């Protein structure tokens, strides 16, 4: 799928070099259709440890392993239920992570000591080419959390990655360019270790999309014992205090669909036409509110059962922070 890219995406040569750096144990931040990831060879413990250092993330938080296609899923996972294969065939490459029973290759330093592993095939062309080239060098998968410092807003452009973690990277690490992320919020995470799928994190692949493939879906996030960092109180949070679904007051920054007018004295940050555009630009908008020095950011989330569920999830977590 061709998409316009400004600035232009990384060249094949720079992607090849990045794959070589990964294989040599360095870090590579790369674009995906959801958000930018901070990648390391998922089988290299020292490299993966550096991800935690750069992010400032607690060591018991598991990482998603990115692979190039469903064909290599059985390198990482075992006892994959049929419904999970159906989901993978339908939504990969794409913004969906499946939590599955791990194989030995998924070591404790990837899974946070859990017996499960999160796997995703991203659809961004730079990500896929990186994964393919890394595989040709003998690398079975790239571990990559979002390329932000722990608890901060995920980056959706190479520049935001640079601003967020550039100071923590070494000269051997690199950042691949891929324009701004198509979707803009993190992947849907579905636990597929039981008779029916359990939604752990909402995203662009919605419950009703999953229900069109699998019969009964459980939404219960609460009683699940798995560790998902998105379940922590404060997360995805800008410095500004986030206020949800209120009329903005003078002096506040404001994000809402274009159908909402901007009251006098309120600083409009984004006016997207629809929920998809809101998702695509939300994190950049939060960053902008901080860069402009606003203390308060009002965000209006549209009603809806599509991407709106994920939008409300992320913004609610941002709002919990202060
Ligand atoms: O869209 C995305 O998923 C992005 C891009 C880069 O792929 N990645 C991402 O990674 O959001 P991260 O680490 O920021 O969030 C991944 C979430 C974490 O909350 C983690 O706890 C959860 O996935 N996770 C990973 N492996 C898991 C597992 N085995 N069981 C339960 N949760 C898992
Ligand atoms: Mg994250």
């Amino acid at each position: 799928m061709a998409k316009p890219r400004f600035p232009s995406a990384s060249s094949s040569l720079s992607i090849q070099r990045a794959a070589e750096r990964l294989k040599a144990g360095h870090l590579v931040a790369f674009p995906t259709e959801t958000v930018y990831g901070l990648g390391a060879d998922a089988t290299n413990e020292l490299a993966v440890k550096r991800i935690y250092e750069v992010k400032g993330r607690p060591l018991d938080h598991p990482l998603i392993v990115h692979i190039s296609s469903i064909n290599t899923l059985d390198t990482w996972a075992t006892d994959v239920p049929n419904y999970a294969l159906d989901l993978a065939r339908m939504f990969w490459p794409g913004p969906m992570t499946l939590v599955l029973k791990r194989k030995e290759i998924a070591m404790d330093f990837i899974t946070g000591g859990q017996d499960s592993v999160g796997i995703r095939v991203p659809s961004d062309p730079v990500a896929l080419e990186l994964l393919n080239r890394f595989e040709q060098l003998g690398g079975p998968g790239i571990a990559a959390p979002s390329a932000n410092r722990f608890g901060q807003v995920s980056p959706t452009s190479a520049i935001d990655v640079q601003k967020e973690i550039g100071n923590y990277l070494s000269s051997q690490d690199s950042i691949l360019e891929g324009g701004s992320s198509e979707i803009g919020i993190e992947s849907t995470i579905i636990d597929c270790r039981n008779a029916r799928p359990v939604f752990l994190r909402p995203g662009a692949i919605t419950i009703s999309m999953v229900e069109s493939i699998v019969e009964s879906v459980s939404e219960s996030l609460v009683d699940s014992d798995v560790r998902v960092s998105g379940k922590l109180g404060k997360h995805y949070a800008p410095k500004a205090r986030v206020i949800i679904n209120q009329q903005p007051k003078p002096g506040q920054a404001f994000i809402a669909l274009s159908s909402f007018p901007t009251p006098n004295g309120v600083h409009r940050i984004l006016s997207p036409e629809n929920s998809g555009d809101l998702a695509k630009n939300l994190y950049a908008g939060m960053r902008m509110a901080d860069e402009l020095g606003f203390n308060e950011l009002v965000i209006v989330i549209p009603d809806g059962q599509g991407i709106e569920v994920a939008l409300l999830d992320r913004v609610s977590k941002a709002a919990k922070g202060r």
Side-chain angles (χ1 to χ4, degrees):
M1 184 181 66
K3 67 172 182 176
R5 293 171 162 278
F6 306 105
S8 56
S10 300
S11 65
S12 286
L13 183 62
S14 53
I15 297 173
Q16 175 66 28
R17 291 226 172 96
E20 288 163 8
R21 286 182 185 208
L22 280 175
K23 198 71 187 76
H26 305 298
L27 303 185
V28 173
F30 61 96
T32 87
E33 72 279 21
T34 57
V35 300
Y36 274 65
L38 177 62
D41 177 345
T43 61
N44 181 333
E45 180 165 14
L46 286 178
V48 171
K49 285 249 159 75
R50 283 207 50 236
I51 291 183
Y52 286 90
E53 279 165 30
V54 169
K55 280 189 66 88
R57 182 180 185 164
L59 281 167
D60 62 350
H61 279 263
L63 299 175
I64 296 172
V65 177
H66 297 70
I67 58 175
S68 67
S69 83
I70 191 175
N71 299 331
T72 55
L73 179 59
D74 65 0
T75 305
W76 290 93
T78 185
D79 301 342
V80 180
N82 281 328
Y83 74 79
L85 289 174
D86 290 342
L87 290 174
R89 283 190 204 103
M90 188 69 185
F91 298 119
W92 278 351
M96 178 185 73
T97 297
L98 301 182
V99 171
L100 296 161
K101 186 156 192 263
R102 70 167 166 183
K103 276 195 173 161
E104 318 76 77
I105 190 175
M107 311 270 266
D108 284 350
F109 60 80
I110 288 294
T111 69
Q114 304 179 98
D115 198 28
S116 61
V117 61
I119 306 282
R120 180 161 102 84
V121 180
S123 65
D124 181 279
V126 172
L128 278 177
E129 190 170 342
L130 179 68
L131 284 161
N132 279 307
R133 286 172 183 263
F134 185 60
E135 240 166 58
Q136 281 160 19
L137 298 172
I142 301 177
S146 51
N148 51 281
R149 296 280 291 165
F150 186 64
Q152 304 292 313
V153 177
S154 299
T156 51
S157 69
I159 300 227
D160 287 346
V161 174
Q162 174 64 37
K163 286 184 189 159
E164 186 59 42
I165 58 168
N167 288 342
Y168 300 88
L169 296 177
S170 81
S171 59
Q172 306 274 59
D173 302 327
S174 61
I175 301 175
L176 282 174
E177 176 61 69
S180 44
S181 300
E182 191 80 4
I183 290 169
I185 54 176
E186 304 81 356
S187 62
T188 303
I189 304 182
I190 307 172
D191 187 347
C192 297
R193 292 174 301 153
N194 300 296
R196 55 198 198 130
V198 179
F199 266 67
L200 299 181
R201 180 173 73 183
I205 304 298
T206 61
I207 291 190
S208 64
M209 289 162 80
V210 169
E211 276 171 345
S212 69
I213 316 261
V214 188
E215 267 179 14
S216 54
V217 175
S218 166
E219 287 182 56
S220 77
L221 303 166
V222 214
D223 54 24
S224 155
D225 61 349
V226 287
R227 269 193 300 273
V228 181
S229 61
K231 283 162 77 179
L232 296 175
K234 172 180 175 256
H235 206 75
Y236 318 103
K239 292 184 191 73
R241 187 165 79 90
V242 171
I243 300 164
I244 310 174
N245 294 350
Q246 281 185 21
Q247 180 70 10
K249 300 192 192 86
Q252 292 176 329
F254 184 41
I255 293 178
L257 293 190
S258 56
S259 49
F260 284 80
T262 310
N264 278 341
V266 168
H267 185 87
R268 190 62 171 250
I269 302 265
L270 296 176
S271 301
E273 292 292 320
N274 54 51
S275 299
D277 283 346
L278 174 56
K280 188 173 160 63
N281 295 298
L282 177 68
Y283 290 156
M286 288 180 174
R287 284 172 188 281
M288 189 178 296
D290 281 348
E291 277 168 19
L292 294 172
F294 283 95
N295 295 323
E296 294 181 327
L297 169 62
V298 174
I299 306 179
V300 177
I301 301 297
D303 286 335
Q305 291 304 306
I307 190 93
E308 295 86 3
V309 175
L311 283 169
L312 189 61
D313 171 74
R314 302 308 192 276
V315 170
S316 302
K317 276 163 187 151
K320 258 192 206 169
R322 322 267 152 171

